[in-house]
């Protein structure tokens, strides 16, 4: 139970008074970064279930959900396309700076930290993208580097 988790945490991160974690200058050295968790599943429904369960805990990690353009595209015309046609049209618009959703991605996570802290699933990210006119596909790639858990 809980004691086992505490032992695992100590084994992974040590304790502030562990001799091997004390730097030469004598300052506390408990600034080690926790590991990033990469969680994969076969279906996006399974990821949504894990995120729902995670929301029911006290643990509040920064999260990012990676998916395909097909799952994330909110552009009115491009979202109707599939496969290579969708990828090609998306890349063409992005390359020409002609996608208003992609153009607003830069700096969005700084203005809206909830994209990392609210544990959004694919549907939540689609709603957020439409509401803020931002591309969930590129936004999640931007947030993945800051996330504690990448789904």
């Amino acid at each position: 139970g809980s004691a086992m988790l505490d032992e695992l945490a100590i084994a992974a991160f040590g304790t502030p008074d562990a001799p091997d974690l004390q730097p030469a200058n004598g300052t506390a050295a408990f600034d080690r970064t926790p590991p990033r968790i990469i969680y994969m599943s076969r279906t996006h429904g399974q990821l949504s279930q894990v995120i729902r369960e995670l929301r029911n805990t006290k643990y509040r990690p920064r999260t990012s959900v990676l998916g395909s353009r097909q799952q994330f595209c909110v552009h009115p015309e491009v979202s109707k396309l599939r496969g290579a046609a969708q990828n090609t049209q998306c890349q063409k618009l992005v390359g020409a700076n002609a996608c208003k959703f992609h153009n607003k991605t830069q700096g969005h996570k700084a203005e809206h930290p909830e994209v990392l802290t609210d544990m959004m699933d694919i549907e939540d990210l689609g709603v957020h993208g439409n509401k803020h006119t931002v591309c969930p596909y590129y936004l999640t790639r931007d947030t993945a580097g800051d996330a504690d858990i990448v789904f």
Side-chain angles (χ1 to χ4, degrees):
S2 178
M4 185 171 118
L5 289 176
D6 290 341
E7 289 174 26
L8 287 173
I10 290 169
F13 302 111
T15 61
D17 57 344
D20 62 330
L21 294 180
Q22 295 300 323
N25 64 9
T27 61
F30 205 72
D31 62 349
R32 292 172 57 185
T33 305
R36 177 170 294 132
I37 298 169
I38 309 294
Y39 188 96
M40 294 183 277
S41 77
R42 262 184 52 255
T43 67
H44 111 259
Q46 291 169 334
L47 291 179
S48 293
Q49 181 179 359
V50 169
I51 292 169
R52 258 192 327 274
E53 293 298 326
L54 190 56
R55 288 178 185 152
N56 291 329
T57 70
K58 291 182 181 182
Y59 182 46
R60 293 290 170 247
R62 296 168 300 166
T63 62
S64 184
V65 178
L66 299 178
S68 67
R69 284 181 177 92
Q70 184 174 335
Q71 293 169 312
F72 277 132
C73 185
V74 293
H75 188 283
E77 287 86 35
V78 178
S79 64
K80 294 175 185 171
L81 302 172
R82 292 291 174 251
Q86 185 181 48
N87 290 338
T88 301
Q89 186 62 22
C90 174
Q91 291 167 345
K92 184 188 293 185
L93 290 173
V94 168
N97 288 324
C99 179
K100 67 180 182 179
F101 297 93
H102 176 266
N103 294 344
K104 291 182 88 178
T105 302
Q106 186 75 6
H108 186 79
K109 71 180 177 182
E111 296 171 19
H112 297 276
E114 70 271 15
V115 298
L116 276 165
T117 59
D118 284 0
M119 292 189 268
M120 296 183 184
D121 64 13
I122 289 175
E123 286 82 12
D124 299 328
L125 287 159
V127 169
H128 182 89
N130 278 314
K131 179 180 178 183
H132 296 283
T133 318
V134 67
C135 177
Y137 176 77
Y138 285 102
L139 179 63
T140 58
R141 273 141 186 76
D142 188 35
T143 59
D146 298 318
D148 302 312
I149 304 176
V150 178
F151 292 96

